[in-house]
Amino acid sequence: MCGIAGEIRFDGLRADLAGVDRMAEVLAPRGPDGQGSVGYGPVAFGHRRLKIIDISARAQQPMLDNELGLLLVFNGAIYNYPELRGQLQELGYRFFSSGDTEVILKAYHAWGADCVKRLQGMFAFAIWERDSGVVFLARDRLGIKPLYYSEQSSLFRFASTLPALLAAGGVDTAIDPVALHHYMSFHAVVPAPHTMLQGVRKLPPATTLRIEPDGRMQSSCYWRPVFERSAADEGLAMEAWRDQVFDTLSLAVRRRLVADVPVGVLLSGGLDSSLIVGLLAEAGQQGLHTFSIGFESVGEEKGDEFEYSDLIARHYGTRHERIFIGADRLLPALPNCVAAMSEPMVSHDAVGFYLLSQQVSQHVKVVQSGQGADEVFGGYHWYPPLLGSHSPLDDYARHFFDRGHDEYARCVEPHLVTEDYSRAFVAAHFAQPGAQTGIDKALRLDTTVMLVDDPVKRVDNMTMAWGLEARVPFLDHELVELAARIPAEHKIRDGGKYVLKEAARRLIPAAVIDRPKGYFPVPALKFIRGAYLDFVRDVLLQPRARQRGLFRTGYVDTLLAEPESHITPLRGSKLWQITLLELWFQQHGL
C-alpha cells in the first residue's frame, strides 16, 4: 500500500521531476516507510512506500526492470502474487525481489493489458514502456485503490489523491457542476470520472488507460458483474447459496492475510466485521488484534456499540482495543480529517475512521474491514421496496437521494443550476444491460458506483492518512460475482443480508446476527449543537465562504436557524453536508 504520482509530457520537453516530488511529498502519510522518484525524458514517476509485502530494499519503487524495459509505480496489494509468480517462472521469467510489485511488471510483459484480469486484489498502477513510450494505467475492479489525473496543455499527471495533483500546479479548480449536483443530491456520491474540480478526473474502477507518446488515449473496461442468473441459479436452494457464500468469503478472508507484517481487524460489533473475526479464528489465527471506536451520545442517539464488539472479542479471545473519543478530541480533529479527503465525504463516520486509524496505526500496519457487505448482500432499507417495483427509479431516488432537483435549485446559486444530473445518471445506469429487475439494478448501481465513491473511498482516505492499509474481503471480486447471481429474495429477507446471516450462524453468536442493524454512529455531527454549531457557523459565515458564491444565503440561514430539523432520508444533517463541502474547499486552499 503506497502513494503513486507521475507526469507524462507530449511536447518533447522533459517531465518535471520536481513537480512529481511535490506530489509525492503530499502522499507521504500514505507511504511513511520510503520514497523514490525517477525521470526518463518525457516521463517521471514518484512513489511513497508503506512496507507490507517484501519489506526489503529490493521492492523499492519506482521499480525499473532494465531487461524488460519497463518502469512501474504501484499502490495496493495483489493477494495471488505467489501463484502468478510461479506461472511466470514457468514461462522463463527471473525475479530479483520476492513481493507483488515485480509480479505486476512481469505479468504486464507476459500478458499485456489483459494482465489485470489475472490479478486478485486492490491496485492502481502505472507502467512506462521504455522502447515504445507508451504509459499504461490500471485500477482494480471495485475501485478500492484511487487513481486521479489531470490533463493540461501537452501533459498528463496522475496521483493517488486529488490534493497531490494540486501540489503540482496548473489545475483548473473551477467547480464541476455535475459533481456538485451529485454531492448535494446523490448522497455525496460523485461517480467517475467527475470530481468537484473541473481540472481533476478519476479513472473509473475496472478500467485501464493506454497513453501514446503523442498524447492519444484509449480506455477500456475489463470487468462488469452481471446481476442475472441462469435457470440453474434460480432453482438452487437457499442452503446451497449459503454454503457457497461461506466458502467464498472464507477464501477471501484468507487471501487478505498475505503480508509480511501482522494483520488486525476493525471490529464494529456488527455482523460483517464480526464474521471476519470468526473466519480468521477458524483459519487458525492466534493473538488476533481487534479495534473498536465509540463517541459521546447525544440525547437518545447512542455513540458506541461496544457491547457487541466486546462480545465478539471475548468469544474469540482477541487482543481487543476499545477507543473512546470524547468531544475534546472529535471537534479539533475535524479540519485535519477533511484535509485528508481527496473529495468531500459527508458521512459522519469519516472522522470516526480517521481517529480510529490514528490509534490503530500505532499497533498494526494492516487491518481487515467489513465495508461492502450491505451493498453486496442487500443490507440497506431501500432494497425491499424495489422488489417488484413498477417504478424503480422513483423508489430508489425517494429513499437514497438527499434532496430532489427542486430543492437543489433552491439551495445553490442560480448559475450552478442546470440539469438534474443525478437522476439522469441513475436512469442511464438502470437502463444498462445485465440487470433486469429494479432491485438488481439498484444492487448493481450501489456495488459498482455508490460503494466505490462513498464507503470504500472513505476508508481508503481515512486509513491511509495514518499509513494504515485496510483490506476489504467483502469486495473480493469472486464473492461479488457470486452475490450478483443470488436471487434478491435470499438477500433482502428478514431485514437484509439473509443469506450472509445464515452463513454466519456457523460461527457468530446469535446475539450479534439477530440484533437490530447498527451504523457507525457519530451523533454530534447529526444533531449539531453547542461548540459544533459554533464551528459550523464559523465555517459558513466567514467572508471567503460568502465570496465563493456556492450556496444561497437564505438557504444557509434557514439551516442555521434550525440545525437539527433538516435531516436527509438517510439520516444525515443537511447543515453538516454544506459545511463539510465548504470546509473541504478551505482546507485545500481553494
Side-chain angles (χ1 to χ4, degrees):
M1 186 76 73
C2 311
I4 64 174
E7 178 177 301
I8 308 150
R9 296 203 67 99
F10 312 120
D11 55 6
L13 299 179
R14 297 183 66 85
D16 180 10
L17 188 58
V20 171
D21 284 338
R22 290 196 301 274
M23 289 194 285
E25 183 60 30
V26 174
L27 299 171
R30 296 182 69 94
D33 297 336
Q35 61 183 329
S37 61
V38 66
Y40 293 96
V43 172
F45 284 176
H47 185 263
R48 294 292 309 208
R49 186 181 183 194
L50 179 64
K51 294 181 179 179
I52 302 294
I53 298 174
D54 187 357
I55 60 177
S56 73
R58 295 187 302 273
Q60 194 73 9
Q61 297 184 49
M63 180 176 282
L64 175 66
D65 190 318
N66 270 313
E67 185 176 311
L68 303 182
L70 297 176
L71 179 72
L72 167 74
V73 282
F74 157 57
N75 169 31
I78 307 302
Y79 307 124
N80 66 333
Y81 83 89
E83 296 90 335
L84 294 175
R85 180 188 178 100
Q87 295 172 24
L88 290 162
Q89 286 175 324
E90 290 180 359
L91 294 175
Y93 288 93
R94 297 171 296 174
F95 288 80
F96 52 81
S97 65
S98 61
D100 52 352
T101 304
E102 189 182 359
V103 167
I104 296 176
L105 267 179
K106 263 65 172 185
Y108 179 76
H109 187 268
W111 301 307
D114 284 343
C115 70
V116 292
K117 299 177 181 178
R118 299 174 181 251
L119 303 180
Q120 281 273 3
M122 53 184 184
F123 54 84
F125 65 81
I127 293 177
W128 174 60
E129 299 178 7
R130 179 186 59 202
D131 297 338
S132 70
V134 166
V135 173
F136 179 80
L137 292 90
R139 191 176 179 198
D140 66 70
R141 296 168 182 83
L142 276 305
I144 304 167
K145 290 294 100 189
L147 190 55
Y148 293 88
Y149 63 89
S150 176
E151 295 181 71
Q152 301 174 29
S153 177
S154 300
L155 66 83
F156 178 100
R157 294 191 183 115
F158 66 87
S160 295
T161 71
L162 183 150
L165 290 171
L166 293 178
V171 174
D172 179 359
T173 59
I175 294 173
D176 183 329
V178 178
L180 179 63
H181 196 285
H182 287 322
Y183 175 84
M184 296 295 291
S185 300
F186 195 23
H187 196 53
V189 175
V190 179
H194 295 279
T195 76
M196 198 57 68
L197 305 182
Q198 291 196 29
V200 179
R201 308 287 85 169
K202 55 194 175 194
L203 194 68
T207 299
T208 62
L209 180 64
R210 178 184 173 92
I211 305 175
E212 302 290 344
D214 61 3
R216 287 178 294 128
M217 301 180 196
Q218 182 177 5
S219 64
S220 176
C221 178
Y222 63 87
W223 179 82
R224 289 186 179 90
V226 177
F227 284 73
E228 295 176 336
R229 47 206 61 89
S230 66
D233 288 341
E234 293 286 2
L236 207 58
M238 195 287 299
E239 291 76 15
W241 289 117
R242 175 199 63 197
D243 294 344
Q244 288 189 53
V245 167
F246 185 91
D247 293 342
T248 307
L249 180 59
S250 298
L251 176 60
V253 169
R254 292 197 304 274
R255 279 176 175 152
R256 283 153 183 79
L257 288 173
V258 174
D260 293 328
V261 296
V263 178
V265 178
L266 301 183
L267 178 60
S268 69
L271 168 68
D272 313 325
S273 59
S274 298
L275 184 50
I276 292 172
V277 172
L279 289 169
L280 287 170
E282 186 187 53
Q285 287 294 297
Q286 301 293 323
L288 185 63
H289 214 154
T290 55
F291 306 87
S292 299
I293 192 169
F295 299 89
E296 291 182 0
S297 300
V298 175
E300 297 182 359
E301 188 93 356
K302 193 174 180 183
D304 70 75
E305 296 187 328
F306 285 147
E307 68 173 293
Y308 297 107
S309 56
D310 288 353
L311 188 158
I312 291 296
R314 288 194 303 269
H315 188 78
Y316 290 106
T318 71
R319 296 165 53 208
H320 189 57
E321 303 279 345
R322 255 191 183 203
I323 301 166
F324 180 79
I325 305 295
D328 60 326
R329 289 188 57 199
L330 178 60
L331 185 56
L334 287 173
N336 287 336
C337 169
V338 175
M341 298 177 179
S342 279
E343 301 175 70
M345 305 175 198
V346 72
S347 293
H348 303 154
D349 63 3
V351 68
F353 276 109
Y354 179 80
L355 292 168
L356 176 62
S357 300
Q358 180 184 23
Q359 296 295 119
V360 173
S361 65
Q362 299 173 22
H363 301 275
V364 296
K365 285 187 173 184
V366 186
V367 289
Q368 295 203 31
S369 185
Q371 275 63 44
D374 284 304
E375 294 82 359
V376 172
F377 287 101
Y380 290 125
H381 68 273
W382 57 86
Y383 296 134
L386 290 164
L387 188 65
S389 170
H390 297 295
S391 184
L393 176 59
D394 290 334
D395 290 338
Y396 181 87
R398 183 172 63 256
H399 286 89
F400 190 78
F401 281 20
D402 289 336
R403 54 179 56 77
H405 188 64
D406 289 344
E407 183 182 342
Y408 174 79
R410 294 194 301 271
C411 71
V412 301
E413 292 291 351
H415 71 280
L416 294 169
V417 180
T418 51
E419 303 173 30
D420 189 349
Y421 293 112
S422 299
R423 189 178 179 88
F425 175 85
V426 173
H429 201 280
F430 276 17
Q432 293 176 5
Q436 296 183 4
T437 66
I439 189 168
D440 280 328
K441 293 175 188 293
L443 287 165
R444 179 182 61 180
L445 174 68
D446 287 357
T447 298
T448 59
V449 178
M450 183 271 278
L451 177 61
V452 173
D453 274 296
D454 188 5
V456 167
K457 179 171 64 183
R458 185 164 68 249
V459 171
D460 172 84
N461 283 200
M462 298 301 98
T463 56
M464 291 306 291
W466 300 102
L468 178 68
E469 174 174 306
R471 297 177 173 182
V472 279
F474 285 102
L475 295 191
D476 183 283
H477 78 270
E478 291 180 354
L479 181 65
V480 171
E481 290 169 350
L482 170 64
R485 291 170 42 222
I486 298 174
E489 294 83 354
H490 297 325
K491 288 182 271 195
I492 66 169
R493 179 177 162 187
D494 292 355
K497 294 192 289 192
Y498 179 75
V499 67
L500 183 65
K501 291 175 181 176
E502 293 306 297
R505 293 191 190 280
R506 295 192 195 181
L507 297 173
I508 305 301
V512 170
I513 297 173
D514 298 323
R515 55 170 285 203
K517 179 174 176 57
Y519 294 89
F520 200 154
V522 188
L525 299 182
K526 178 180 176 182
F527 302 107
I528 300 174
R529 58 184 68 163
Y532 291 88
L533 183 56
D534 293 339
F535 175 83
V536 164
R537 289 183 185 278
D538 182 62
V539 170
L540 293 176
L541 299 182
Q542 60 181 276
R544 58 175 164 170
R546 298 292 196 186
Q547 293 164 6
R548 198 178 308 284
L550 191 54
F551 301 113
R552 294 180 188 239
T553 301
Y555 185 77
V556 174
D557 292 343
T558 296
L559 297 187
L560 286 172
E562 296 183 292
E564 299 182 28
S565 299
H566 302 274
I567 304 297
T568 71
L570 294 181
R571 304 190 301 176
S573 165
K574 292 183 179 180
L575 177 58
W576 177 244
Q577 186 178 44
I578 67 170
T579 303
L580 186 282
L581 180 57
E582 174 58 34
L583 184 59
W584 183 83
F585 282 116
Q586 294 177 14
Q587 288 300 113
H588 293 296
L590 300 171

